[in-house]
Amino acid sequence: MQFDHFRLINEADDKHPAFGELVADIALEEGSLLPSEALFISLCVGQFEPLRIVQAGRGKGAGTEFLARSFPDLPVLSVDATDDPAARERLARYENVQLEVGDPKAVITREMRTGDYLVMERPDGMDGLRLLLELFASRNFEMGFLHNAGPGTQ
């Protein structure tokens, strides 16, 4: 399927109010996805038929929670180098979320498959960009989003 930018703009206008209500009670955390980024991801991914969302770097779980709500009918594989008890507790109510602990590059390289959409929250900056480009080279997933790649990131 071809990516349709005009459709994306129209859908953003249509879906913004309902999406805002869907995620209004999610407590934000510093460095995590913002609601506008989660909406952008859901709109982009919605143009395709993804099989799964794979997230690198869940932190305290806010970004994972956005993804779980945005894609309630898709599995969300969330990978982080640490096992944060607060994130585990926060995400326990989402049946579509699977938490993996380990080196994100190793786990994602092992687990990625055709039809996956990758959301890279950590590593960020140039480290995240390098990893995303390496994973793109494997051609094992359809689309990716890199969070925190602006000034001040490494």
Side-chain angles (χ1 to χ4, degrees), residues 82-94:
T82 60
D83 188 12
D84 186 305
R88 188 168 289 283
E89 181 179 332
R90 177 182 195 159
L91 300 168
R93 66 185 176 148
Y94 296 100

Side-chain angles (χ1 to χ4, degrees), residues 3-116:
F3 192 79
D4 185 343
H5 300 85
F6 296 108
R7 179 176 146 202
L8 189 71
I9 292 167
N10 291 328
E11 285 185 13
D13 287 337
D14 293 343
K15 293 183 177 182
H16 182 261
F19 188 83
E21 290 179 24
L22 178 70
V23 300
D25 65 330
I26 295 178
L28 300 177
E29 63 185 70
E30 186 177 337
S32 182
L33 289 177
L34 297 172
S36 58
E37 294 169 318
L39 174 60
F40 177 76
I41 291 167
S42 71
L43 291 168
C44 291
V45 173
Q47 293 202 22
F48 302 94
E49 295 180 9
L51 300 176
R52 179 176 63 169
I53 306 299
V54 177
Q55 175 199 31
R58 82 178 138 266
K60 301 286 184 196
T64 312
E65 197 168 4
F66 281 126
L67 296 170
R69 290 192 192 180
S70 298
F71 304 101
D73 298 327
L74 290 178
V76 176
L77 173 62
S78 179
V79 182
D80 201 283
T82 60
D83 188 12
D84 186 305
R88 188 168 289 283
E89 181 179 332
R90 177 182 195 159
L91 300 168
R93 66 185 176 148
Y94 296 100
E95 293 181 11
N96 63 327
V97 173
Q98 175 190 347
L99 304 179
E100 284 275 342
V101 178
D103 172 58
K105 182 178 180 179
V107 174
I108 291 170
T109 300
R110 182 185 74 233
E111 294 292 329
M112 289 298 288
R113 57 185 184 247
T114 302
D116 284 349

